[in-house]
Amino acid sequence: KGIVTRMSNVTPKCTVATYLCETCGHEIYQIINSRSFTPLFSCPAQVCQQNGNNGRLFPQTRGSRFEKFQEIHLQELPEEVGHRL
């Protein structure tokens, strides 16, 4: 329980980023567990690694997964301050 002091707008948060390799055509998925992440730039697929190619990756929003995200800041209720055991 508490008083809402601040609330952000609802924004999309990426949970799975999808990329398409320009060289080999593989679709690569990156699971994201935090608010910020570093996008992948080179293809980790075996085909590109064996050929020594650094396949360039292009982000694909259609295959990516997004969730609604909102941040809320709470403050304790005045009647509960100092009454903790």
Side-chain angles (χ1 to χ4, degrees), residues 25-84:
H26 275 88
E27 209 169 50
I28 290 90
Y29 301 97
Q30 179 185 18
I31 296 174
I32 302 165
N33 294 319
S34 62
R35 289 167 111 189
S36 62
F37 70 99
T38 303
L40 300 175
F41 293 105
S42 60
C43 182
Q46 255 186 345
V47 175
C48 284
Q49 298 298 316
Q50 288 173 349
N51 295 335
N53 295 331
N54 283 338
R56 206 166 82 184
L57 298 177
F58 291 97
Q60 303 293 308
T61 54
R62 192 164 71 176
S64 298
R65 181 174 294 158
F66 297 89
E67 293 179 350
K68 294 178 182 177
F69 177 78
Q70 184 175 33
E71 191 171 31
I72 298 172
H73 293 260
L74 291 176
Q75 180 180 329
E76 290 180 293
L77 293 172
E79 58 267 14
E80 295 200 9
V81 175
H83 290 77
R84 292 187 206 173

